Amino acid sequence: MKPDEFLNSIYLGDRACKAIVLDGWKDEVKIQIDLISRRRSETWNFYSAEDVEDGFLVFEGVDHVSFDPPGPIPNGEIGDIEFVANGDERFLVTIDIGYAEQKDGNVIFHNAKLTIRARAVAIEKPGEEGLRIRN
């Protein structure tokens, strides 16, 4: 499955980022999400047969990652995932990702744009690192 098709098959509405792992030795970015659902038709329609709880959205062959603006570690909702471009070997994707911080006794919500350039994308179940879902 092409990266844009794969990303369009994922539903992350009202889901949250739990962790982001930047693995320089493997050239990977792994985003842990409280629940990843697959969308196998035009709409999600609450399909849950392929849900992955606390799963990772894994970007492989990464040669660029950035947060705009820089700030605290994302720990909030996952917004739009936009497939920006497809090059010869890599594609570019942006992900709106939120974070909350305590300031003067109040919770303040912010958004950042995570940009990743990668060769491939997959879903990984916790504890099943060798069995990535690619289609």
Side-chain angles (χ1 to χ4, degrees):
M1 186 177 277
K2 294 179 183 178
D4 57 333
E5 294 170 346
F6 186 82
L7 290 169
N8 282 331
S9 77
I10 295 171
Y11 176 79
L12 300 175
D14 73 347
R15 312 298 167 76
C17 171
K18 293 183 76 173
I20 297 178
V21 179
L22 305 174
D23 189 331
W25 284 22
K26 292 182 181 177
D27 294 330
E28 292 182 345
V29 174
K30 296 169 61 170
I31 304 169
Q32 188 175 29
I33 301 166
D34 62 342
L35 186 65
I36 300 172
S37 295
R38 298 302 297 274
R39 188 176 63 188
R40 296 300 190 172
S41 64
E42 295 267 330
T43 60
W44 171 50
N45 214 16
F46 299 96
Y47 172 69
S48 62
E50 297 177 73
D51 282 1
V52 178
E53 191 171 336
D54 293 331
F56 292 89
L57 186 57
V58 182
F59 293 89
E60 304 166 324
V62 173
D63 71 351
H64 173 87
V65 61
S66 63
F67 294 90
D68 184 30
I73 298 171
N75 61 3
E77 70 179 12
I78 304 287
D80 292 335
I81 298 177
E82 182 181 356
F83 189 85
V84 179
N86 199 4
D88 291 338
E89 293 185 9
R90 289 186 169 85
F91 61 92
L92 186 69
V93 65
T94 62
I95 303 170
D96 289 327
I97 194 162
Y99 59 93
E101 66 177 332
Q102 292 277 342
K103 194 169 192 176
D104 300 326
N106 297 312
V107 178
I108 300 171
F109 296 95
H110 302 279
N111 285 325
K113 191 167 293 279
L114 171 59
T115 301
I116 301 170
R117 189 170 51 222
R119 283 197 176 111
V121 62
I123 295 172
E124 183 178 283
K125 294 180 180 180
E128 296 184 15
E129 289 77 17
L131 304 172
R132 290 185 175 164
I133 300 165
R134 300 180 184 284
N135 56 26

